[in-house]
């Protein structure tokens, strides 16, 4: 799991959500800071554009705040935010008229940013050559956004099958099928080069 | 490119590992995560203003001026690491409690039965962060709004038609950013000079500037910049300004933000972040002179630094009697603190980020190398200290010599005897609770105290009728 870790003793998501529902905006701000990296990563996987991903991250948390009254705790905050982020990202892309993919992220040296936290998946890339890394990265990049998202929910965020289903707005039984299909397509694109 | 199959290569990799590698390699191109929290909270606040029927009064309050992000992964590891020394810390806390209990008799006696109340004198300001006076015998208060305006106001709450200054086009105002500080030159009545601390739109830098008021209005174009301090993160901008007893301008700066002071600014003698600065604004040198009695004027740090080791001194004040400086410094994970810098006693470290409150923040710190707080409290009693003032008015004799401060999150207001604060033996006594989000205290020319509530209200602090 990545992007949602917090220190022992920090209030749980559910506690902060209840406080935010009672009007404690500070609680919502803490939830934003807790999950903004995960939401930003989801947004970027969908739009593949730095400006759009940042805009989608912002609008995700604004929309989620407005939707708090209808949020069901058993959904889990992260799956719920991923679902909203995917929708907001698609919306941003449509409104921008930009292509699905663009160049690598723009490195900014100004403005408020936090350094990215570690990605456990990188450790599993140890032993791969540079060419292999490029091959898998390029193949992943050429997948459709649904394929990228189903892989991310399971292997980046470590969601359970039911949480992934909630995040992707699909029946729980479809998650594994879609995941398998996505990985088949990933291998096919790697082989095709 | 096609990749040949070989043992241990991609084609032989299990599905779960391949998926994890693929998404991690792609996401690893993102080196930075934008901190959208200030913008989110600003948007929500605007929604609340535009669609008030969807929000109850409490939820209209925008994001707090000194909020804290949750601990980063790095600081989380640090917390876990510090569990090993928790026994030592607990022992220190127990010792402090015992010490406090032994010293509490005086404060408890003198403050026994003291309660304060808050009388609203006006409302409707846009995210006010400060109220202060100019010392020109005009009977005027000045209310600072975070989005960039300064409004003159009579003591009974009548607002002027035009602001003293409008910086709203040039200020980045969300989260902890905005127009944050204001101080009037001691000779304002004669020279019209006043000083502001704000977050510059565009790059988010902290700017300390001088303006001159003519007939109650300052020309935006007349700005004279004294300091421009780059901010590495959006939070911990400090923002307090005040003149000390010697007529030197004090500037409180935060550690630059994020969490845990990742750049080590608080103890960095070359950085202006995480410091109390002291400037001579009447010197011949431009843009300011260095007072000869500054804490580090003789070396050891940049000469404009008067004290180091602060995290986010959101609000500090100078006691008009005696000239001591009282600093409310917002804590990281465990302690909020009030520190005292006696008149003429610069050159001290208040500890951050080696020390938080009375305890080590970094393992193995040397507590004796830093000035301990005069008061501190834990997260069970609040989350963000709002530094206060020593009451020096005459209308409420029961408050004479009482330092009054509070907490943003709980609204608790405490009193402490100023003599005990200076002696290092102070005990804080709860004397009231404010309804709403306390962000600042301020005094009028007669020494009466006012509380600023983030929802837009200015409240007179009065002793509760018994």
């Amino acid at each position: 799991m990545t992007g949602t870790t917090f220190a022992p003793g920090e209030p749980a998501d559910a506690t902060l959500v209840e406080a935010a529902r009672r009007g404690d905006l500070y609680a919502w701000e803490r939830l934003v800071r807790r999950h903004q990296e995960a939401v930003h990563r989801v947004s970027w996987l969908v739009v593949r554009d730095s400006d759009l991903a940042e805009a989608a991250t912002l609008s995700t948390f604004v929309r989620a705040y407005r939707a708090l009254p209808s949020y069901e705790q058993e959904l889990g905050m992260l799956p719920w935010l991923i679902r909203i982020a995917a929708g907001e990202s698609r919306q941003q892309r449509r409104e921008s008229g930009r292509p699905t993919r663009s160049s690598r992220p723009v490195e900014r040296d100004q403005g408020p940013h936090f350094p990215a936290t570690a990605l456990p998946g990188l450790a599993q890339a140890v032993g791969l050559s540079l060419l292999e890394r490029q091959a898998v990265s390029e193949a992943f990049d050429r997948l459709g956004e649904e394929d990228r998202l189903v892989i991310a929910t399971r292997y980046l965020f470590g969601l359970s099958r039911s949480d992934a289903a909630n995040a992707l707005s699909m029946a729980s039984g479809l998650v594994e099928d879609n995941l398998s299909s996505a990985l088949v397509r990933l291998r096919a694109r790697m082989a095709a080069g | 490119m096609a990749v040949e199959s070989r043992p241990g290569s991609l084609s032989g990799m299990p599905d779960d590992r391949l998926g994890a590698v693929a998404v991690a390699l792609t996401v690893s191109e993102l080196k930075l995560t934008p901190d959208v929290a200030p913008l989110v909270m600003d948007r929500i606040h605007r929604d609340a203003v535009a669609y008030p029927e969807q929000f109850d009064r409490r939820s209209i309050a925008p994001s707090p001026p000194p909020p804290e992000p949750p601990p980063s992964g790095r600081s989380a590891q640090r917390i876990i690491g510090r569990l090993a020394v928790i026994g030592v810390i607990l022992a220190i806390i127990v010792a402090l409690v015992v010490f406090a209990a032994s010293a509490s008799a005086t404060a408890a006696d003198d403050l026994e039965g003291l309660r304060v109340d808050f009388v609203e004198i006006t409302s409707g300001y846009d995210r006010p962060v400060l109220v202060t006076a100019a010392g020109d015998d005009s009977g005027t208060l000045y209310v600072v709004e975070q989005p960039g305006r300064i409004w003159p106001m009579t003591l009974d709450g009548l607002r002027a038609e035009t602001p003293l200054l409008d910086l709203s086009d040039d200020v980045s105002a969300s989260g902890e950013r905005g127009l944050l500080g204001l101080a009037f030159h001691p000779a304002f009545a004669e020279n019209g000079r006043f000083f502001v601390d704000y977050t510059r739109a565009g790059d988010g830098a902290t700017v300390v500037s001088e303006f001159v008021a003519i007939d109650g209005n300052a020309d935006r174009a007349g700005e004279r910049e004294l300091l421009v301090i780059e901010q590495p993160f959006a939070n911990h901008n400090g923002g307090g300004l005040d003149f000390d007893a010697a007529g030197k301008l004090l500037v409180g700066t935060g550690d630059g933000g994020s969490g845990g002071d990742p750049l080590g600014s608080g103890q960095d003698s070359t950085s202006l972040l995480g410091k109390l600065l002291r400037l001579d604004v009447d010197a011949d040198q431009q843009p300011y002179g260095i007072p000869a009695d500054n804490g580090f004027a003789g070396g050891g740090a940049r000469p404009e630094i008067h004290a180091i080791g602060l995290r986010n001194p959101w609000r500090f004040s100078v006691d008009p009697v005696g000239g001591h400086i009282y600093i409310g410094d917002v804590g990281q994970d465990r302690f909020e603190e009030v520190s005292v810098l006696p008149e003429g006693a610069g050159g001290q470290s208040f500890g951050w980020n080696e020390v938080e409150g009375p305890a080590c923040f970094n393992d193995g710190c040397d507590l004796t190398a830093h000035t301990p707080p005069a008061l501190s409290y834990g997260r069970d009693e609040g989350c963000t200290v709002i530094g206060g003032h020593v009451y020096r008015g005459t209308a409420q004799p029961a408050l004479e010599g009482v330092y009054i401060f509070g907490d943003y999150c709980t609204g608790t207001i405490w009193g402490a005897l100023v003599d005990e604060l200076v002696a290092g033996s102070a005990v804080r006594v709860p004397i009231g609770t404010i309804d709403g989000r306390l962000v600042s205290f301020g005094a009028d020319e007669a020494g009466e105290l006012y509380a600023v509530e983030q929802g837009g209200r200015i409240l007179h602090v009065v002793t509760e009728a018994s």
Side-chain angles (χ1 to χ4, degrees):
Chain A
M1 188 113 93
T2 174
T4 58
T5 53
F6 52 96
E10 276 285 295
D13 280 355
T15 307
L16 291 174
V17 166
E18 280 311 306
R21 279 176 162 165
R22 290 195 305 271
D24 183 353
L25 279 190
Y26 181 50
W28 184 247
E29 185 163 354
R30 293 175 80 176
L31 280 167
V32 173
R33 286 215 162 93
R34 181 176 293 178
H35 292 291
Q36 63 185 358
E37 181 169 69
V39 166
H40 183 236
R41 285 171 168 172
V42 169
S43 300
W44 193 69
L45 284 173
V46 174
V47 299
R48 309 296 277 120
D49 178 285
S50 294
D51 291 339
L52 293 183
E54 194 160 332
T57 306
L58 169 62
S59 59
T60 293
F61 286 108
V62 173
R63 179 169 290 267
Y65 181 79
R66 293 174 186 158
L68 264 186
S70 61
Y71 168 69
E72 296 169 17
Q73 291 277 22
E74 57 270 23
L75 268 182
M77 181 53 66
L78 182 58
W80 187 61
L81 288 173
I82 290 174
R83 181 199 294 182
I84 296 172
E88 288 298 306
S89 301
R90 293 179 187 118
Q91 179 73 17
Q92 289 287 339
R93 194 180 57 212
R94 275 196 297 274
E95 289 177 359
S96 76
R98 293 189 201 179
T100 302
R101 284 194 298 274
S102 70
S103 57
R104 296 170 70 85
V106 178
E107 293 295 337
R108 296 190 173 92
D109 56 3
Q110 289 186 335
H113 288 76
F114 293 108
T117 56
L119 290 155
L122 285 185
Q124 301 192 52
V126 171
L128 295 181
S129 69
L130 184 60
L131 279 179
E132 287 173 322
R133 287 167 185 250
Q134 283 179 332
V136 71
S137 193
E138 287 171 9
F140 185 82
D141 213 28
R142 288 199 299 274
L143 291 176
E145 69 179 48
E146 290 81 6
D147 286 348
R148 291 200 295 267
L149 281 178
V150 74
I151 292 173
T153 54
R154 296 287 275 147
Y155 297 135
L156 177 64
F157 300 113
L159 297 186
S160 68
R161 196 177 302 170
S162 64
D163 281 349
N166 284 330
L168 300 168
S169 302
M170 66 174 60
S172 183
L174 283 178
V175 171
E176 290 305 297
D177 289 349
N178 287 8
L179 182 64
S180 297
S181 301
L183 289 166
V184 166
R185 280 189 281 273
L186 178 65
R187 288 187 190 280
R189 292 191 191 284
M190 284 161 47
Chain B
M1 69 200 71
V3 177
E4 292 180 14
S5 176
R6 60 179 169 80
S9 69
L10 285 172
S11 55
M13 193 179 271
D15 273 357
D16 55 349
R17 186 177 161 201
L18 177 64
V21 166
V23 69
L25 285 173
T26 305
V27 170
S28 69
E29 295 174 15
L30 295 171
K31 304 298 184 197
L32 296 170
T33 300
D35 181 16
V36 298
L39 294 171
V40 169
M41 305 320 288
D42 191 52
R43 185 86 68 83
I44 289 171
H45 174 70
R46 286 169 198 268
D47 283 357
V49 173
Y51 313 105
E53 67 279 4
Q54 296 178 16
F55 294 79
D56 63 24
R57 181 169 176 78
R58 281 185 63 82
S59 67
I60 289 177
S63 57
E68 308 305 345
S72 63
R74 187 177 156 210
S75 63
Q77 291 169 3
R78 203 179 258 166
I79 289 168
I80 293 167
R82 288 204 301 269
L83 288 176
V85 295
I86 201 162
V88 175
I89 293 169
L90 282 173
I92 293 170
I93 294 170
V94 168
L96 286 169
V97 168
V98 170
F99 176 69
S102 67
S104 64
T106 312
D109 291 347
D110 285 11
L111 298 176
E112 185 183 358
L114 179 63
R115 298 288 296 174
V116 294
D117 206 350
F118 301 91
V119 177
E120 179 177 317
I121 60 170
T122 187
S123 62
Y125 282 98
D126 184 6
R127 287 180 278 166
V129 291
L130 185 69
V131 63
T132 189
D136 58 350
D137 296 326
S138 63
T140 303
L141 287 171
Y142 293 85
V143 179
V144 177
E145 293 180 326
Q146 188 176 356
R149 294 187 178 90
I150 300 170
W151 294 97
M153 179 183 86
T154 62
L155 292 179
D156 52 4
L158 189 64
R159 187 196 301 208
E161 291 182 357
T162 55
L164 170 70
L165 178 67
D166 185 352
L167 289 175
S168 52
D169 288 341
D170 307 289
V171 166
S172 169
S174 60
E176 299 173 41
R177 299 176 158 200
L179 177 56
L180 305 178
L182 166 68
F184 291 90
H185 191 280
F188 174 77
E190 291 79 42
N191 60 28
R193 298 170 66 192
F194 66 94
F195 299 81
V196 297
D197 181 308
Y198 67 92
T199 312
R200 185 164 68 185
D203 64 357
T206 288
V207 178
V208 177
S209 286
E210 174 181 344
F211 290 88
V212 177
I214 299 173
D215 295 332
N217 184 259
D219 182 1
R220 173 70 187 86
E223 178 174 18
R224 183 176 79 90
E225 288 183 355
L226 277 72
L227 284 172
V228 177
I229 305 173
E230 287 184 28
Q231 291 287 351
F233 300 98
N235 50 345
H236 304 181
N237 291 284
L241 296 179
D242 206 349
F243 279 88
D244 70 7
K248 304 299 185 286
L249 180 64
L250 301 169
V251 181
T253 63
D255 67 7
S258 187
D261 193 8
L263 305 178
S265 301
Q267 294 294 316
D268 181 353
S269 59
T270 66
S271 168
L272 296 184
L273 295 169
K275 308 295 188 307
L276 186 70
L277 312 178
R278 188 167 180 261
L279 315 177
D280 183 349
V281 298
D282 297 314
D284 292 334
Q285 298 92 335
Q286 294 293 327
Y288 53 80
I290 303 294
D293 57 346
N294 263 16
F296 296 95
R302 285 184 60 165
E304 48 273 82
I305 295 173
H306 197 41
I308 72 169
L310 295 167
R311 183 177 176 278
N312 191 19
W314 164 245
R315 287 294 174 244
F316 66 88
S317 66
V318 179
D319 186 352
V321 177
H324 300 334
I325 302 162
Y326 299 88
I327 306 166
D329 194 12
V330 181
Q332 176 69 39
D333 304 316
R334 300 175 58 219
F335 296 105
E336 301 300 309
E337 66 185 78
V338 174
S339 290
V340 180
L341 182 59
E343 159 71 358
Q348 304 187 33
S349 166
F350 291 109
W352 182 251
N353 70 350
E354 289 291 306
V355 178
E356 182 187 10
C360 282
F361 182 73
N362 284 329
D363 294 345
C365 84
D366 178 6
L367 285 171
T368 64
H370 309 280
T371 303
L375 281 174
S376 63
Y377 60 93
R379 284 296 156 88
D380 54 333
E381 294 187 79
C383 77
T384 295
V385 66
I386 302 297
H389 285 245
V390 181
Y391 180 85
R392 296 298 187 185
T394 56
Q396 297 167 87
L399 296 179
E400 168 59 27
V402 179
Y403 177 72
I404 295 172
F405 69 108
D407 186 88
Y408 172 83
C409 295
T410 61
T412 305
I413 309 298
W414 291 281
L417 295 176
V418 68
D419 293 341
E420 294 185 0
L421 271 177
V422 177
S425 60
V427 174
R428 64 199 155 83
V429 176
I431 57 172
T433 305
I434 194 166
D435 176 23
R437 293 293 201 185
L438 172 74
V439 290
S440 193
F441 289 95
D444 66 17
E445 292 161 335
E448 286 301 303
L449 289 192
Y450 300 84
V452 181
E453 195 274 320
Q454 198 174 29
R457 296 177 295 150
I458 310 299
L459 309 139
H460 186 196
V461 182
V462 298
T463 43
E464 198 171 81
S466 55

